[in-house]
Amino acid sequence: MNVLLIGSGGREHALAWKLAQSPSVEKLWCAPGNPGIAEEAECVDLDAASNAAVLGFCRDHDVDLVVVGPEAPLVAGLADTLRVAGFAVFGPSAAAARLEGSKGFTKDFCARHAIPTAAYGRFNNAPKAKAYIRAMGAPIVVKADGLAAGKGVTVAMTVDEALVAVDDCFEGAFGSAGAEVVVEEFLAGEEASFFCLCDGETALPFGTAQDHKRVHDGDLGPNTGGMGAYSPAPVLDEDVLARVMDEIVRPTLAGMKAEGNPFSGVLYAGLMLTADGPRLIEYNVRFGDPECQVLMLRLASDLAPILLAAATGRLAGVKARWRDGYALTVVMAADGYPGTPVKGTPIGGVVKAEASGAKVFHAGTAMADGRLVAYGGRVLNVTAFGATAREARANAYAAIDCLAWPGGFCRRDIGWRAIERERLSV
Ligand code: AMP
Ligand code: GLY
């Protein structure tokens, strides 16, 4: 089949790498892609933010499957445009993508379908939001309703901090995403991510992961898009996953279908494992980045037929096979991240790092005068496999030590929770 992949980050490099290995994929394009993706696919210079441009490409090139990596085109209705024209798309409709695109929508949806999540209020003005915060007390969580590139959430330890976050939202810190605010109960527990492929009706469990959101070792410093991840997440054992499927995922698919917005694509559940059981923190409607990178390294099955089955309503009976062991990815970021990253610094040693057995996914790179340079905040995802989390981590850092990139940095403690768990269980 002919496949078009949309996106340009490390997640899309991992998807391209896996799709390129598929015997059923004859031709793989990626729009817009990046220098790493260019080794797996033909990068095409089309405006991926224009639904009409993507549709035109699909018509001209006999595309059999479109795989949409990031959330923005989904929220903007790319899957709808393509489906109406008869193309198979892996990714939800705009109406179903509201599970990520509007936190208020998701909270109300969970309330309608008794899906366990934090207690909340929705507000379109500051005084009411503040009154709710004063009544609830701290700690408390303030969220801009819409897509805010991972920056719209404040976990406030004091009432004052929460009040400032409300003002930030309504004063436009997150643009139109902050026109409405969700204030919610603080959930205490361990966080983990669970992925399911969906075809509107059936959910195929598709792996677990944990990431590290803070920029510095010891989970300190400002939030980022994720500085590293590993899969599986040991805390999501079979019993917990059975509960998550019964209490969260299946009611979500049934509820979306009943409301006329069947969900297809990947449902990424951000979970808090509280003393009272698993709670949904949020949904995303795409693979995590960098979580996708570790899932792709662990996946033993051919990815293309599974994504096509999800896109065409034929997931029932499909199974995915996984390698035993752990995959772990460490993000190499450009100096300055998560503030303004320094662009253009030359990167060496990728071939040597991969010769050590790791896979280096490109997240924010470019070619300049024939050299690979940094071109973003999160730049490389150095991803390795091991029989244990400890071994996977040692392999990832051994590869990192082969890189020659003075303009970049990484955390040195990715995987600490899983490794601590392994240490305690021997
Ligand atoms: P989000 O952007 O929705 O992924 O939220 C960012 C992070 O904020 C999550 O990964 C959690 O660590 C934290 N968070 C969000 N909601 C809550 C909550 N209700 N209680 C505790 N932490 C939360
Ligand atoms: N790594 C978190 C995310 O993709 O949202």
Side-chain angles (χ1 to χ4, degrees):
M1 65 179 119
N2 294 336
V3 180
L4 171 64
L5 172 66
I6 304 291
S8 64
R11 166 182 50 212
E12 289 76 24
H13 188 182
L15 291 169
W17 173 76
K18 194 68 189 163
L19 287 169
Q21 295 168 34
S22 171
S24 59
V25 174
E26 278 154 50
K27 181 75 198 170
L28 178 62
W29 296 277
C30 184
N34 70 33
I37 295 173
E39 290 171 18
E40 331 278 353
E42 183 182 335
C43 293
V44 288
D45 188 19
L46 71 87
D47 180 6
S50 159
N51 295 353
V54 176
L55 176 60
F57 183 91
C58 291
R59 286 197 166 128
D60 292 346
H61 295 83
D62 227 354
V63 169
D64 299 299
L65 174 67
V66 182
V67 177
V68 185
E71 63 278 14
L74 296 167
V75 170
L78 177 59
D80 306 72
T81 300
L82 296 173
R83 272 197 199 107
V84 165
F87 291 98
V89 188
F90 180 77
S93 66
R98 282 181 297 170
L99 285 177
E100 175 164 0
S102 168
K103 295 188 191 300
F105 168 83
T106 302
K107 299 301 289 190
D108 287 354
F109 175 85
C110 288
R112 286 198 292 283
H113 298 281
I115 293 165
T117 181
Y120 73 107
R122 282 178 86 166
F123 305 96
N124 58 16
N125 66 73
K128 286 206 172 126
K130 289 181 176 179
Y132 182 81
I133 288 167
R134 289 197 181 92
M136 299 282 284
I140 194 157
V141 183
V142 177
K143 302 184 172 184
D145 178 74
L147 292 183
K151 298 194 176 80
V153 174
T154 303
V155 178
M157 288 300 141
T158 64
V159 166
D160 282 347
E161 209 184 322
L163 300 179
V164 170
V166 166
D167 283 331
D168 283 348
C169 279
F170 287 116
E171 282 163 15
F174 309 109
S176 60
E180 187 180 318
V181 164
V182 170
V183 181
E184 63 179 50
E185 168 199 7
F186 172 83
L187 298 172
E190 186 169 342
E191 229 178 304
S193 302
F194 178 45
F195 300 85
C196 284
L197 300 191
C198 306
D199 67 357
E201 203 142 339
T202 301
L204 169 67
F206 207 65
T208 61
Q210 277 179 302
D211 73 348
H212 297 263
K213 289 238 165 75
R214 304 293 180 134
V215 72
H216 297 309
D217 285 17
D219 292 328
L220 299 172
N223 252 319
T224 70
M227 294 299 290
Y230 51 93
S231 174
V235 69
L236 289 177
D237 61 25
E238 250 177 65
D239 293 343
V240 179
L241 283 185
R243 274 191 78 172
V244 172
M245 286 301 285
D246 286 345
E247 297 170 20
I248 298 177
V249 174
R250 286 197 194 96
T252 298
L253 282 201
M256 291 300 282
K257 186 176 174 217
E259 294 184 7
N261 304 310
F263 184 91
S264 76
V266 53
L267 189 63
Y268 159 1
L271 302 168
M272 190 70 87
L273 304 172
T274 73
D276 301 324
R279 297 281 179 273
L280 179 71
I281 301 174
E282 61 161 5
Y283 274 131
N284 294 304
V285 300
R286 36 100 191 154
F287 282 109
D289 190 349
E291 290 86 340
C292 184
Q293 289 79 317
V294 284
L295 292 181
M296 291 305 116
L297 211 70
R298 278 190 56 227
L299 183 64
S301 302
D302 185 352
L303 179 65
I306 301 183
L307 297 187
L308 184 65
T312 54
R314 292 182 293 110
L315 259 189
V318 172
K319 291 210 162 49
R321 287 175 298 108
W322 301 90
R323 295 163 76 184
D324 287 331
Y326 283 81
L328 183 143
T329 189
V330 179
V331 171
M332 289 289 300
D335 287 343
Y337 181 76
T340 308
V342 180
K343 280 191 184 171
T345 53
I347 300 168
V350 172
V351 171
K352 196 171 161 204
E354 291 202 325
S356 81
K359 179 68 199 166
V360 179
F361 294 116
H362 292 224
T365 64
M367 296 301 289
D369 302 326
R371 294 191 70 174
L372 187 69
V373 299
Y375 195 70
R378 295 186 295 168
V379 174
L380 298 174
N381 310 137
V382 181
T383 313
F385 194 80
T388 59
R390 188 183 184 81
E391 195 181 305
R393 176 165 83 169
N395 291 342
Y397 283 111
I400 282 198
D401 292 336
C402 298
L403 291 172
W405 180 29
F409 71 96
C410 66
R411 277 180 61 161
R412 282 276 159 188
D413 64 346
I414 298 303
W416 68 265
R417 268 184 209 282
I419 290 164
E420 184 65 10
R421 214 173 268 266
E422 276 172 358
R423 195 180 64 77
L424 293 174
S425 70
V426 289

